[in-house]
């Protein structure tokens, strides 16, 4: 069939849509439309029908038209009709509008326009039709799409097009608003060229546009010109993408003008779009301010074995430039947090592993078999003589760790039944909010006495007042073991005496917690700075609040309010104090004199993290977190003490150097607060606290180097209840290394040794010399017969690991619950013990946890990216954990399940990440025929079961993709190298749940 213009028009006019679709899908080139259209009426009909066709359809129609030469045909028609001495605008206008419509989808429209000679033509048409609004608007729309190409925008600027368009923008008027809007958008489009921005700056166009914005905003009382104001804001945005444009905008008072107009716009809901755009623009223009630190490197430095100069190498790399390089091409990251969350939920298909050999072939072991024999000691159940008649005491002796014997004579515990009774009484008391039992002559100590300066919480006996306020040298924590044993054994030291007296007065009996035992464990804990003070919540203990807590609803526009306050700080200095009140590197600021004044901060204790505190306003503080040791990054975890507060006053805290690009703090999460006064009154709770919480990108940058690295602010407001209280604030429920060691001791003493085989050993020492605990749990054989003992020694293994990332304290609480459940008398726990042998490493990164780090170990590396080739010296815990797994594999006891416990800062619920070849290939769109691949679907079994029995678990959040970027993680390496089908990462939320019976609630982590 021959298609001509006439039958094409006829079939469209009669509604033959199927024929139209056939024409669009045919190989017929669109240039034939205009080549065969001999008369003006036919051309006009074709143009009108094309416009209707493209308007009614989807963008796919425009894309198809472009692929068939539609853009070139339209441009040729434009040049042909526009080059006439007296152009016929009845034809030219539809062509211009079609060029604008198609050009928005054609990325090469600018280049095509240059080749067709349409750029100069369109400028001439604009100059010749200034008095004709409709014609000028059409020309401006076409210039806007042409200028999307930087080279075309530069060409138009060189032809004085920018000057022509600028003078099209009038003072306030109610006439021809569409033309004015089009002219501003065309001017903004030309600013995609840096040359045009420089030209606009040099010609004073920036100040002129600011005056126009102020005039239009003040005179548009009926709000009919909002689109014009938005177009001007878009112009400012394009200008400020260049350093010279941004500096000029700021120097000409652009931020002040937008702040003033925003305050006015806030009074009218119909100006919401102006408010949002103005705030985002002001945030982009705030000068990039280096953090008020001497260096980006951590305040703590640890000399690595064999790498004494590593720290200096890092400094050279990160601080190679003394000046901050301006980022001219910085993208606008200030989008709505909800949009970011949606983007983050999408899988990154480019990161998926599609190489079938890498997915299926098992690499050779990374060490010889001879080295695996050393791990036989970690399977004591295989060598234990269960035939020997054991009484309780001998069983305890055989089950205790011989590798790290603790002196605990001062920590004698009551019988198990008596302790449970005390625990129940205490829990009942705290749920009722009642204080503990008191005696006559009660202790005169108050909450304020339990701050970092009192010396009561020190791990050593004070020798004078100075000893309680001076920072302890690193070597002080490594005191003589004999002296420590003596202190632990007799319980007569100054601090222990006070602690015992307090326990006697307040009757603390928290489940699986003994303050004296915690102190005994803390004395042996080795930290980089040599911590000598214990945080009160850690030594005193904590209980979970009764019942579930609803997630904190976020008030509308709280982020807007906080950003505007930060902008006001930049504009107004009258109420700014900017006084440093705490500095980890300046001991003179750590303990100011006891007098009314600013808040006092402290963080030199286990898990603590706060580097610097600056009083910005009377009740507002900027807080800076310490980077991971031997590193200049990974700031997210915080835990610090605050005191000297005034009750019923709202204090604003801004943690200004967070690194994650989004956080659950935007979706109902709150910081944790612990009050010493509440604890002494019988309510030792970590409570979610804070209002006006939000998390957003700020204007701070690193001190030196990494200029494009953004920082984010977590801001929240706390109103303290009491005067002279001491409080602690944390990212999440803290869980220290010393708490783990004490908990394992208490857990061992609580079990029935006739039923539970519990053995704590040491996997290896860490870089700092701390012991990495290794726990074996299974059921003792019911009898001495060979069959029962043989069954025990052939039980499959389940290996559980945790806390490779120090900042993920919620993972440790889940592990704590796992340990307590496996050692309990619950019938399910008993069945699990009788079926499996559990090998548990509850803390893979003790040094990171101790020193308040967020992501890394003392070597400055993420340990969960070292599993492929772990260094035995720099990554000992990973090296020996992998060695132990290889050992199990070599003796034909490959784990049935491997699970690494983690915490997730951006998602809700609890879920698993696993590994699947087929699902990875399916998701990546690989052409590999997966029908021929055989894969055991058993990797999904655990997730399906948990989805049925655990309300907090989300099967829909589980993922079984193998990513290239995670190829060196525990989950993938154990799956690939050891062939463990059920190799998982279990992620637990920091916040709460969005499904099931816990929806919109936060299950107390102590109960998970």
């Amino acid at each position: 069939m021959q298609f001509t213009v006439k039958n094409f028009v006829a079939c469209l006019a009669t509604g033959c849509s199927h024929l139209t679709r056939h024409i669009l899908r045919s190989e017929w080139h669109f240039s034939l439309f205009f080549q065969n259209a001999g008369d003006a009426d036919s051309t006009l009909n074709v143009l009108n029908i094309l416009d209707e066709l493209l308007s009614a359809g989807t963008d796919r129609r425009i894309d198809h038209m472009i692929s068939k030469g539609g853009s070139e045909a339209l441009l040729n028609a434009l040049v042909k009709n526009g080059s006439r001495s007296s152009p016929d605008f009845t034809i030219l206008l539809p062509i211009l509008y079609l060029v604008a419509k198609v050009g928005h989808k054609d990325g090469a429209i600018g280049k095509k326009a240059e080749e067709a000679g349409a750029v100069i033509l369109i400028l001439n048409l604009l100059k010749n039709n200034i008095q004709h609004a409709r014609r000028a608007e059409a020309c401006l729309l076409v210039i806007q799409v042409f200028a999307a190409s930087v080279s075309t925008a530069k060409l138009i600027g060189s032809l004085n097009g920018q000057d022509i368009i600028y003078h099209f923008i009038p003072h306030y008027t109610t006439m021809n608003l569409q033309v004015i809007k089009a002219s501003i958008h065309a001017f903004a489009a030309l600013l995609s060229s840096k040359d045009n921005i420089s030209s606009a700056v040099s010609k004073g166009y920036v100040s002129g546009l600011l005056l126009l914005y102020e005039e239009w905003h003040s005179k548009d009382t009926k709000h009919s010109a909002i689109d014009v104001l938005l177009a001007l804001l878009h112009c400012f945005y394009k200008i400020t993408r260049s350093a010279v444009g941004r500096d000029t905008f700021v120097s000409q008072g652009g931020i002040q003008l937008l702040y003033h107009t925003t305050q006015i716009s806030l009074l009218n809901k119909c100006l919401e779009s102006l408010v949002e755009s103005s705030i985002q623009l002001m945030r982009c223009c705030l000068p990039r301010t280096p953090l008020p630190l001497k260096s980006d490197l951590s305040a703590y430095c640890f000399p690595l074995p064999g790498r004494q100069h590593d720290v200096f190498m890092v400094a050279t790399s990160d601080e190679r430039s003394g000046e901050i390089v301006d980022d001219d091409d910085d993208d606008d990251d200030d989008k709505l947090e909800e949009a970011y969350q949606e983007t983050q939920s999408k899988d990154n298909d480019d990161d998926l592993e599609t190489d079938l050999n890498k997915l299926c072939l098992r690499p050779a072991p990374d060490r010889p078999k001879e080295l695996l024999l050393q791990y036989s000691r970690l399977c004591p159940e295989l060598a234990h003589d269960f035939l020997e008649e054991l009484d309780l005491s001998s069983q305890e002796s055989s089950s205790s760790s011989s590798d790290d014997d603790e002196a605990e004579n001062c920590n004698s515990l009551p019988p198990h039944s008596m302790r449970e009774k005390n625990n129940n009484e205490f829990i009942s008391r705290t749920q009722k909010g009642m204080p503990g039992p008191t005696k006559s002559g009660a202790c005169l100590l108050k909450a304020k006495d339990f701050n970092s300066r009192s010396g009561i919480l020190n791990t050593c006996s004070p020798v004078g007042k100075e000893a309680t306020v001076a920072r302890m040298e690193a070597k002080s924590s490594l005191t003589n073991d004999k002296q420590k044993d003596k202190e632990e054994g007799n319980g007569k030291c100054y601090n222990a005496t006070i602690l015992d007296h307090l326990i006697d007065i307040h009757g603390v009996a928290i489940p699986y917690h003994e303050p004296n035992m915690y102190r005994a464990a803390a004395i042996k804990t080795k930290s980089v700075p040599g911590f000598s003070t214990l945080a009160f919540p850690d030594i005193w203990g904590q209980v979970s609040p009764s019942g579930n807590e609803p997630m904190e609803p976020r008030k509308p526009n709280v982020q807007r309010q906080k950003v505007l306050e930060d902008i006001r700080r930049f504009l107004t200095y009258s109420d700014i104090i900017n006084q440093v009140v705490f500095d980890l590197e300046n001991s003179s600021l750590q303990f100011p004199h006891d007098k009314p004044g600013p808040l006092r901060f402290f963080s030199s204790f286990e898990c603590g993290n706060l580097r610097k505190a600056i009083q910005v306003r009377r009740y507002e503080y900027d807080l800076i977190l310490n980077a991971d040791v031997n590193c200049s990054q990974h700031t997210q975890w915080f835990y610090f003490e605050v005191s000297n507060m005034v009750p019923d006053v709202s204090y604003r805290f801004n943690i200004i150097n967070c690194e994650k690009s989004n956080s659950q703090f935007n979706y109902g999460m709150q910081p944790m607060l612990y009050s010493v006064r509440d604890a002494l009154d019988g309510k030792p709770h970590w409570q979610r606290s804070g209002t006006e919480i939000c998390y957003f990108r700020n204007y701070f940058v690193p001190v030196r180097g990494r200029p494009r690295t953004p920082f984010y602010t977590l801001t929240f407001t706390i109103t303290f209840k009491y005067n002279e209280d001491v409080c602690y604030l944390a990212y999440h429920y803290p869980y220290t290394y010393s708490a783990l060691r004490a908990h394992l001791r208490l857990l061992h003493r609580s079990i029935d040794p006739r039923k539970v085989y519990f053995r704590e050993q040491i996997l290896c020492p860490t870089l700092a010399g701390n012991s990495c605990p290794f726990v074996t749990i299974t059921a003792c054989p019911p009898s001495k017969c060979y069959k029962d003992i043989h069954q025990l020694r052939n039980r499959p293994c389940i290996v559980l690991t945790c806390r490779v990332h120090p900042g993920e304290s919620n993972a440790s609480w889940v592990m704590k619950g796992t340990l307590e459940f496996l050692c309990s008398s619950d019938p399910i726990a008993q069945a699990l013990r009788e079926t499996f042998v559990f090998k548990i490493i509850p803390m893979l990164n003790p040094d990171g946890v101790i020193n308040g780090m967020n992501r890394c170990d003392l070597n400055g590396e993420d340990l969960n990216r070292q599993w492929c080739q772990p260094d035995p010296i720099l990554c000992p815990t990973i090296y020996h954990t992998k060695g132990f797994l290889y050992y199990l594999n070599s003796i034909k006891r490959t784990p049935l399940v491997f699970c690494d416990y983690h915490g997730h800062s951006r998602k809700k619920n609890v879920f698993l990440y696993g590994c699947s070849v087929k699902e990875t290939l399916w998701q990546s769109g690989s052409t590999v025929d997966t029908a021929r691949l055989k894969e055991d679907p058993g990797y999904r079994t655990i997730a399906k079961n948990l989805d049925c029995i655990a309300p907090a678990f989300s099967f829909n959040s589980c993922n079984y993709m193998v990513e290239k970027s995670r190829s060196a993680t525990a989950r993938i390496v154990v799956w690939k190298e050891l062939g463990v089908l059920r190799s998982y990462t279990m992620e637990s939320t920091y916040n709460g749940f969005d499904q099931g019976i816990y929806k919109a609630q936060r299950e107390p982590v102590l109960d998970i």
Side-chain angles (χ1 to χ4, degrees):
M1 178 179 179
Q2 288 289 329
F3 291 104
T4 65
V5 174
K6 287 186 177 181
N7 63 34
F8 177 70
V9 172
C11 74
L12 288 174
T14 56
C16 298
S17 58
H18 67 282
L19 189 57
T20 304
R21 288 195 298 269
H22 180 67
I23 294 172
L24 287 173
R25 293 172 183 172
S26 70
E27 295 300 319
W28 193 30
H29 204 279
F30 272 83
S31 61
L32 295 177
F33 279 131
F34 306 104
Q35 293 175 6
N36 297 331
D39 56 277
D41 290 339
S42 297
T43 302
L44 189 59
N45 285 335
V46 169
L47 291 171
N48 291 335
I49 292 168
L50 271 178
D51 183 57
E52 292 179 11
L53 186 66
L54 298 178
S55 299
T58 64
D59 288 345
R60 293 181 61 185
R61 291 186 176 182
I62 297 178
D63 293 336
H64 182 78
M65 179 177 174
I66 293 170
S67 68
K68 298 300 180 182
S71 298
E72 290 87 343
L74 287 171
L75 290 170
N76 289 332
L78 172 62
V79 172
K80 178 181 176 181
N81 290 274
S83 300
R84 296 170 181 168
S85 57
S86 298
D88 184 359
F89 276 91
T90 57
I91 295 177
L92 200 55
L93 277 177
I95 293 176
L96 289 170
Y97 284 122
L98 275 173
V99 170
K101 181 176 293 186
V102 175
H104 276 294
K105 294 294 292 180
D106 190 347
I109 190 68
K111 184 178 179 181
K112 293 175 182 178
E114 291 182 47
E115 294 173 351
V119 176
I120 298 175
L121 173 70
I122 199 69
L123 283 175
N124 290 331
L125 288 173
L126 178 63
K127 286 189 288 186
N128 296 330
N129 292 276
I130 292 177
Q131 303 303 321
H132 298 81
R134 191 156 177 246
R135 298 177 186 179
E137 180 189 4
C139 292
L140 289 166
L141 292 175
V142 172
I143 291 175
Q144 182 180 343
V145 298
F146 284 177
S149 167
V150 176
S151 62
T152 309
K154 188 174 180 180
L155 173 62
I156 295 173
S158 66
L159 296 172
N160 298 322
Q162 191 175 33
D163 303 327
I164 297 171
I165 297 172
Y166 176 76
H167 291 99
F168 248 93
I169 307 174
H171 292 282
Y172 177 77
T173 177
T174 57
M175 304 293 290
N176 299 324
L177 293 181
Q178 287 298 111
V179 180
I180 298 171
K181 175 184 170 184
S183 63
I184 298 173
H185 278 302
F187 187 86
L190 293 177
L191 296 174
S192 59
S193 164
K194 291 183 182 179
D195 290 343
N196 289 345
I197 295 176
S198 299
S199 176
V201 168
S202 63
K203 294 176 181 179
Y205 291 165
V206 176
S207 58
L209 290 171
L210 286 171
L211 290 173
L212 287 171
Y213 183 85
E214 184 178 18
E215 179 186 353
W216 278 79
H217 192 280
S218 62
K219 293 183 177 181
D220 183 32
T221 55
K222 296 183 179 180
H223 311 306
S224 59
I226 293 177
D227 287 343
V228 173
L229 291 169
L230 286 173
L232 285 169
L233 289 174
H234 181 61
C235 232
F236 295 146
Y237 167 72
K238 297 295 287 288
I239 289 170
T240 56
R241 284 177 63 84
S242 162
V244 63
R246 185 163 55 246
D247 293 343
T248 304
F249 180 83
V250 174
S251 64
Q252 295 292 328
I255 297 181
Q256 288 91 332
L257 172 62
L258 293 184
Y259 183 82
H260 174 70
T261 55
T262 298
Q263 297 300 317
I264 297 173
S265 299
L266 284 170
L267 303 176
N268 196 316
K269 287 186 178 182
C270 69
L271 301 179
E272 181 73 19
S273 57
L274 291 180
V275 172
E276 189 65 31
S277 298
S278 297
I279 290 176
Q280 304 301 355
L281 182 56
M282 286 188 283
R283 289 176 67 181
C284 291
C285 293
L286 289 176
R288 300 294 184 258
T289 305
L291 288 174
L293 297 173
K294 296 178 181 178
S295 170
D296 295 310
L297 292 171
S298 173
Y300 300 150
C301 172
F302 182 81
L304 298 175
R307 297 190 180 183
Q308 290 83 353
H309 302 291
D310 266 14
V311 175
F312 300 100
M313 292 169 63
V314 173
T316 303
S317 173
D318 281 350
E319 303 180 2
R320 57 185 178 273
S321 172
E323 298 180 358
I324 297 175
V325 181
D326 205 291
D327 184 9
D328 287 352
D329 299 317
D330 187 23
D331 292 332
D332 181 19
D333 66 298
D334 300 314
K335 300 176 182 178
L336 292 175
E337 300 294 347
E338 291 79 3
Y340 177 83
Q341 183 79 351
E342 182 179 351
T343 301
Q344 288 298 308
S345 67
K346 299 177 182 178
D347 292 326
N348 187 357
D349 295 345
D350 293 338
D351 190 35
L352 297 180
E353 183 59 75
T354 56
D355 188 328
L356 198 57
N357 289 330
K358 291 182 179 180
L359 286 171
C360 297
L361 295 182
R362 183 178 298 183
D366 63 358
R367 67 198 78 187
K369 280 190 175 182
E370 294 75 20
L371 294 179
L372 302 180
L373 296 177
Q374 61 180 307
Y375 302 109
S376 61
R377 66 181 180 85
L378 298 177
C379 293
E381 75 283 359
L382 300 181
H384 186 76
D385 188 4
F386 288 99
L387 295 175
E388 182 181 354
E389 187 71 28
L390 299 173
D391 58 16
L392 177 60
S393 60
S394 62
Q395 175 68 24
E396 283 188 353
S397 176
S398 65
S399 299
S400 64
S401 172
S402 60
D403 297 291
D404 188 38
D405 190 21
E406 297 276 348
E408 296 174 353
N409 296 330
C410 69
N411 303 315
S412 57
L413 303 179
H416 179 60
S417 59
M418 182 63 70
R419 186 166 62 254
E420 285 189 347
K421 179 180 178 182
N422 292 341
N423 292 345
N424 293 334
E425 290 177 357
F426 179 75
I427 293 172
S428 173
R429 198 167 62 243
T430 57
Q431 288 177 349
K432 296 177 181 178
M434 299 170 57
T438 59
K439 298 182 179 181
S440 59
C443 181
L444 299 178
L445 292 171
K446 298 181 179 180
K448 66 175 183 177
D449 299 312
F450 291 90
N451 56 46
S452 56
R453 301 163 301 285
S454 67
I456 296 174
L457 300 177
N458 280 12
T459 56
C460 60
S461 301
V463 183
K465 184 176 180 180
E466 293 79 7
T468 67
V469 300
R471 287 185 61 190
M472 206 165 191
E473 300 293 337
K475 61 181 181 180
S476 300
S477 67
L478 307 178
T479 56
N480 183 272
D481 286 342
K482 182 176 180 180
Q483 178 63 27
K484 284 192 291 184
D485 290 343
K486 181 178 178 181
E487 289 181 2
E488 293 171 37
N490 58 32
K492 298 294 184 182
C493 70
Y494 171 76
N495 298 333
T497 302
I498 293 179
L499 191 59
D500 290 339
H501 185 51
L502 284 170
I503 294 172
D504 188 43
I505 292 294
H506 294 276
V508 173
I510 294 174
Y512 295 107
H513 183 81
E514 288 289 337
N516 275 325
M517 184 169 285
Y518 181 90
R519 183 176 178 276
I523 287 176
K524 288 193 173 184
T525 297
K526 302 176 180 67
S527 62
V528 171
F531 296 139
S532 60
T533 301
L534 304 178
F536 186 88
D538 300 329
I539 193 170
W540 193 253
Q542 55 198 319
V543 294
S544 175
S546 59
N548 297 337
E549 301 175 284
M551 281 189 287
E552 180 72 10
R554 181 174 174 178
K555 294 181 180 178
N557 301 325
V558 63
Q559 179 171 318
R560 172 190 297 175
Q561 173 191 343
K562 297 303 177 184
V563 170
L564 284 173
E565 289 178 12
D566 286 351
I567 295 169
R568 184 170 66 85
R569 184 200 301 191
F570 170 74
L571 298 174
T572 308
Y573 298 93
S574 58
D575 60 343
I576 301 300
I577 299 173
N578 269 349
Q579 175 187 359
V580 178
V581 295
F582 171 79
D583 191 340
L584 201 60
E585 300 169 280
N586 186 349
S587 58
S588 64
L589 292 172
Q590 290 190 28
F591 310 109
H593 298 293
D594 291 335
K595 62 179 181 180
L599 294 175
R600 292 194 289 269
F601 297 86
F602 186 73
S603 64
S604 293
F605 47 79
E606 190 174 347
C607 275
N609 191 316
L610 178 65
R611 182 170 182 172
K612 198 169 188 176
I614 302 169
Q615 186 180 21
V616 179
R617 299 185 179 98
R618 184 177 181 184
Y619 298 118
E620 181 178 354
Y621 294 83
D622 279 354
L623 308 179
I624 302 175
L625 305 181
N626 192 26
D628 285 357
V629 177
N630 287 352
C631 194
S632 61
Q633 301 178 60
H634 308 299
T635 49
Q636 202 77 18
W637 167 261
F638 61 87
Y639 180 22
F640 57 87
E641 175 194 291
V642 59
S643 59
N644 204 40
M645 65 280 292
V646 177
D648 301 322
V649 169
S650 295
Y651 288 90
R652 178 183 173 184
F653 297 96
N654 309 307
I655 300 178
I656 61 175
N657 65 329
C658 299
E659 292 186 356
K660 289 186 179 292
S661 54
N662 200 11
S663 171
Q664 280 292 312
F665 282 114
N666 278 330
Y667 307 100
M669 183 173 165
Q670 295 174 275
M672 308 303 302
L673 182 141
Y674 187 104
S675 165
V676 172
R677 178 164 173 179
D678 276 344
L680 294 177
D681 288 342
K683 295 174 287 186
H685 303 312
W686 275 105
Q687 296 179 329
R688 291 179 173 91
S689 186
T691 57
E692 299 181 348
I693 302 167
C694 60
Y695 187 95
F696 56 90
R697 181 170 175 173
N698 58 39
Y699 51 86
F700 289 102
V701 293
V703 179
R704 303 179 67 181
R706 299 190 294 123
R708 296 173 185 245
T709 301
F711 283 125
Y712 296 80
T713 292
L714 166 62
T715 181
F716 54 91
T717 299
I718 297 288
T719 303
F720 299 100
K721 294 187 295 184
Y722 309 116
N723 190 24
E724 296 185 337
D725 195 4
V726 176
C727 293
Y728 291 81
L729 291 169
Y731 184 86
H732 197 66
Y733 296 89
Y735 190 93
T736 66
Y737 170 75
S738 298
L740 171 66
R741 299 308 307 272
H743 178 244
L744 291 177
R745 294 293 178 176
L746 287 162
L747 192 61
H748 171 242
R749 292 192 177 193
S750 71
I751 63 171
D752 183 348
R754 295 165 298 182
K755 296 181 179 179
V756 181
Y757 180 84
F758 181 102
R759 178 74 183 269
E760 180 192 354
Q761 297 173 278
I762 301 304
L763 174 68
C764 64
T766 65
L767 279 171
N770 294 292
S771 301
C772 181
F774 184 98
V775 178
T776 300
I777 300 176
T778 191
C780 293
S783 70
K784 295 183 288 183
C785 70
Y786 172 80
K787 180 180 178 181
D788 289 337
I789 294 177
H790 179 74
Q791 187 271 342
L792 181 148
R793 289 175 177 166
N794 285 276
R795 292 172 186 168
C797 286
I798 292 178
V799 178
L800 307 177
T801 61
C802 184
R803 205 70 183 277
V804 69
H805 294 146
E808 297 171 3
S809 62
N810 52 344
S812 279
W813 288 104
V814 177
M815 177 58 77
K816 181 177 185 287
T818 301
L819 288 165
E820 291 176 4
F821 175 75
L822 290 176
C823 293
S824 71
S825 58
D826 188 287
I828 297 177
Q830 177 65 22
L832 289 171
R833 291 194 301 266
E834 292 173 353
T835 307
F836 304 105
V837 176
F838 290 89
K839 300 291 183 179
I840 302 174
I841 306 173
M843 194 170 285
L844 279 169
N845 192 350
D847 292 341
V849 172
I850 292 166
N851 293 287
M853 298 164 70
N854 182 67
R855 189 78 177 178
C856 299
D857 193 12
L858 296 183
N859 60 13
E861 300 287 346
D862 181 347
L863 290 184
N864 203 33
R865 297 297 186 274
Q866 309 299 316
W867 278 79
C868 283
Q869 294 290 333
D871 189 299
I873 297 176
L874 297 178
C875 309
T877 59
I878 304 302
Y879 177 83
H880 290 294
T881 301
K882 187 177 180 183
F884 170 69
L885 291 168
Y886 267 128
Y887 172 73
L888 290 179
N889 184 259
S890 69
I891 62 173
K892 310 302 180 186
R893 300 193 70 205
T894 301
L896 181 67
V897 176
F898 172 85
C899 189
D900 189 20
Y901 289 19
H902 283 256
H904 206 291
S905 64
R906 300 185 191 178
K907 292 185 178 181
K908 293 181 173 67
N909 310 314
V910 180
F911 51 94
L912 292 176
Y913 290 141
C915 302
S916 166
V917 174
K918 285 190 174 184
E919 294 198 32
T920 302
L921 294 175
W922 291 336
Q923 183 66 33
S924 66
S926 172
T927 57
V928 175
D929 183 9
T930 57
R932 298 182 179 181
L933 295 177
K934 293 183 179 180
E935 185 174 51
D936 187 343
Y939 63 87
R940 282 177 165 263
T941 305
I942 292 179
K944 288 181 178 178
N945 291 337
L946 286 173
D947 195 49
C948 295
I949 64 176
F953 190 83
S954 171
F955 182 79
N956 292 333
S957 298
C958 294
N959 187 311
Y960 303 94
M961 309 302 166
V962 179
E963 304 95 333
K964 298 173 186 176
S965 62
R966 291 173 171 81
S967 61
T969 59
R971 164 178 62 99
I972 294 179
V973 170
V974 173
W975 169 75
K976 185 186 296 183
E977 296 190 20
L978 295 160
V980 178
L981 176 69
R982 298 172 182 85
S983 178
Y984 303 110
T985 296
M986 184 169 72
E987 299 279 1
S988 301
T989 181
Y990 284 95
N991 187 10
F993 312 101
D994 58 11
Q995 61 167 35
I997 63 173
Y998 294 144
K999 186 174 182 178
Q1001 292 183 342
R1002 293 177 297 206
E1003 175 78 348
V1005 73
L1006 305 183
D1007 289 344
I1008 291 180

